[in-house]
Amino acid sequence: AQSVTQLGSHVSVSEGALVLLRCNYSSSVPPYLFWYVQYPNQGLQLLLKYTSAATLVKGINGFEAEFKKSETSFHLTKPSAHMSDAAEYFCAVSDGGRDDKIIFGKGTRLHILP
Amino acid sequence: GAGVSQSPSNKVTEKGKDVELRCDPISGHTALYWYRQSLGQGLEFLIYFQGNSAPDKSGLPSDRFSAERTGGSVSTLTIQRTQQEDSAVYLCASSLNLGTGPYEQYFGPGTRLTVT
């Protein structure tokens, strides 16, 4: 069975500082990995996805994530946080099969300090 | 075109009542998913529809929950005899699954259900 673990339900960073949101996955097959963002009172929006093409994946709004098989990790980073980045972030895993069922982590709420 | 829409956006109901939540997926999307989002619990998969295939109901928490998708488009999630633990945000997503994935899932804004 597949699963993801997000370390830290809440993360606070200062505006302009590095953002690092941690995600570790478990999968018996080569995984597809995703990061989604949920702004207040909105649905989820895809930030980026890993599909085995390149280990460093760039997404929207300056975010990127690196797939590290040896560490079973897919951490999300952004060099410089902006106030508008305050949201909840979800890491997710799929085996890419026909049903394309995606398993989500419990989420990390990112707080940006002025 | 329009994204995924859900209605109502908010629903308050009394314990024991039945509720229906509606999802309008993106036109042409073959797959439709329902998730439940509870505080601090992430997203819980409920049910998945793909084309004309039998739905994957493996995530439904009890037989009080059911869903249907009419004409391969609109879906309704029904919760019978609601309980307080059913209070959550119910999210719908759709995607264009044409074979081996992964395909991006597009999410609606959700329906916030409160059972009093």
Side-chain angles (χ1 to χ4, degrees), chain A residues 6 21 35-37 47 63 76 85 87-90 107-108 110:
Chain A
Q6 292 185 241
L21 303 183
W35 276 99
Y36 280 81
V37 60
L47 264 182
F63 284 92
L76 181 71
D85 294 328
E88 188 150 21
Y89 293 79
F90 293 91
T108 297
L110 177 64

Side-chain angles (χ1 to χ4, degrees), chain B residues 8-89:
Chain B
S9 54
N10 281 283
K11 176 70 176 179
V12 179
T13 190
E14 292 180 353
K15 177 181 174 181
K17 300 285 189 182
D18 298 351
V19 295
E20 286 188 350
L21 312 180
R22 177 186 169 106
C23 172
D24 284 86
I26 292 174
S27 178
H29 276 192
T30 57
L32 187 148
Y33 307 78
W34 282 98
Y35 296 89
R36 180 168 67 177
Q37 184 177 20
S38 303
L39 189 63
Q41 295 300 314
L43 271 73
E44 175 187 7
F45 166 78
L46 296 178
I47 189 169
Y48 159 77
F49 296 90
Q50 167 61 27
N52 296 321
S53 301
D56 176 354
K57 304 179 181 180
S58 61
L60 295 179
S62 77
D63 59 7
R64 296 186 296 104
F65 288 72
S66 63
E68 63 179 21
R69 188 179 185 192
T70 54
S73 181
V74 173
S75 177
T76 301
L77 177 69
T78 301
I79 309 173
Q80 297 178 308
R81 305 181 301 281
T82 53
Q83 304 294 313
Q84 289 187 331
E85 59 263 29
D86 299 335
S87 296
V89 176

